[in-house]
Amino acid sequence: MIYLLLIPIIALGFIAWLYWNEPRIVYHPDSKIEQTPDQFGLPYQNVNLVASDGVNLNGWFVPGEDLSEEGHGVKLTVLFFHGNAGNISHRIEKLAIFRGLGVNTFIIDYRGFGRSQGEPNEAGTYRDAQAAHEYLTQQRKLSAKSIVLYGESLGGAIASDLASKQPVGGLILEETFTSTADVGQQMFPFVPVRWLVRNKYETIHKLPGIHAPLLIFHSREDTLIRFDHGERLFAAANEPKQFVELHGGHNDAFSVSALAYRSALSKFFAAL
């Protein structure tokens, strides 16, 4: 009998632990900048900006190579939102890919990541994205249609929220989830995760309000964010849209499927 009484106590204790530790489950920031683009031959500009609530943020602007025969310059800028772990210094390989494809890239660290101040939360990361967009449109005077939002995993949810509020030239989602509640429910099927989640990141509810060209990358071998997340996001999105299946894990599919990845990006950029 005493063992039967322990079951609900243990269950309630786990639910309470899950609720209070949600931020540490969702976000895994690293404050140490391991490397900078110039160490890999990439020119860059360090950028400091301030979110609407006064939080200081840090990012890098990496100019793209001018691939036009006439030397007319780079016409597109990718606003890069990374995943939930590490910081911008762990994305240099992708910065090199974008530069090589002839697009500028502006990547930022959310609050609490890298050299950015504060503590991460859903509302705060949306403010950080808005601050980055305002930097490009107000300080660099870029047109909204020349900005392509790119988000990997958690960054895809943040990019989708921004695209639902601001006009953009295009949206790219890579290994992105439908919502954190859906991910959590798959991880803990016997726990009422949907009632507990505070940082919801409901990407799937943002896509119907977005009318920019969309490119979705997802690997069937992604064991962290299952393939059906990508399929459901694609089904919820408006045309024009394209789905590219990659091979590899959650964090390395872009390199495992390097040829398909670069080809799809190149064609997407060329069509904008």
Side-chain angles (χ1 to χ4, degrees):
M1 179 64 71
I2 189 170
Y3 295 107
L4 293 177
L5 292 175
L6 284 174
I7 292 174
I9 294 174
I10 293 172
L12 288 173
F14 177 73
I15 289 173
W17 176 89
L18 192 64
Y19 179 83
W20 289 112
N21 285 279
E22 180 196 318
R24 284 180 284 276
I25 296 173
V26 174
Y27 308 105
H28 299 274
D30 187 342
S31 61
K32 184 179 180 181
I33 298 297
E34 301 282 351
Q35 52 201 3
T36 54
D38 59 319
Q39 294 175 265
F40 296 83
L42 303 178
Y44 82 106
Q45 176 185 349
N46 189 68
V47 178
N48 294 309
L49 59 157
V50 182
S52 60
D53 56 351
V55 175
N56 292 311
L57 307 172
N58 180 248
W60 294 335
F61 187 90
V62 179
E65 293 183 21
D66 186 355
L67 304 180
S68 64
E69 294 182 1
E70 300 82 4
H72 288 164
V74 177
K75 70 171 185 175
L76 296 177
T77 297
V78 169
L79 179 48
F80 188 140
F81 298 113
H82 63 67
N84 73 326
N87 57 53
I88 57 177
S89 71
H90 302 117
R91 272 75 186 186
I92 292 180
E93 187 175 357
K94 286 186 178 178
L95 295 178
I97 291 174
F98 287 133
R99 173 171 165 77
L101 291 173
V103 297
N104 303 319
T105 307
F106 181 42
I107 183 171
I108 66 159
D109 266 327
Y110 318 118
R111 57 191 62 207
F113 288 74
R115 295 170 179 157
S116 295
Q117 298 178 345
E119 296 290 333
N121 58 69
E122 183 178 8
T125 57
Y126 293 159
R127 292 190 187 98
D128 301 341
Q130 182 64 40
H133 186 267
E134 289 175 356
Y135 168 77
L136 292 178
T137 57
Q138 296 179 15
Q139 295 193 45
R140 287 195 172 262
K141 307 297 182 184
L142 300 181
S143 68
K145 292 300 182 181
S146 72
I147 299 172
V148 179
L149 306 185
Y150 163 84
E152 57 177 32
S153 194
L154 173 70
I158 296 168
S160 297
D161 179 78
L162 181 60
S164 71
K165 299 172 180 175
Q166 299 290 343
V168 294
L171 174 64
I172 303 170
L173 306 180
E174 182 177 330
E175 310 298 329
T176 294
F177 49 75
T178 53
S179 71
T180 49
D182 287 343
V183 176
Q185 201 64 68
Q186 291 171 353
M187 294 174 64
F188 307 104
F190 303 109
V191 176
V193 173
R194 300 186 193 285
W195 293 87
L196 300 174
V197 170
R198 288 168 285 167
N199 296 280
K200 300 179 182 298
Y201 290 107
E202 296 176 315
T203 316
I204 196 164
H205 296 321
K206 307 291 175 64
L207 292 184
I210 299 171
H211 297 279
L214 172 68
L215 173 61
I216 293 180
F217 290 109
H218 216 105
S219 172
R220 199 176 293 272
E221 298 153 28
D222 187 337
T223 57
L224 181 60
I225 308 299
R226 297 189 328 199
F227 190 71
D228 65 289
H229 284 262
E231 292 180 309
R232 290 172 60 197
L233 291 176
F234 186 74
N238 296 303
E239 295 284 359
K241 58 184 178 180
Q242 180 184 4
F243 190 101
V244 176
E245 181 177 344
L246 302 178
H247 297 284
H250 181 71
N251 294 313
D252 67 358
F254 79 97
S255 59
V256 173
S257 303
L259 291 178
Y261 184 76
R262 290 172 184 254
S263 176
L265 285 173
S266 179
K267 292 176 182 177
F268 185 73
F269 293 144
L272 298 179

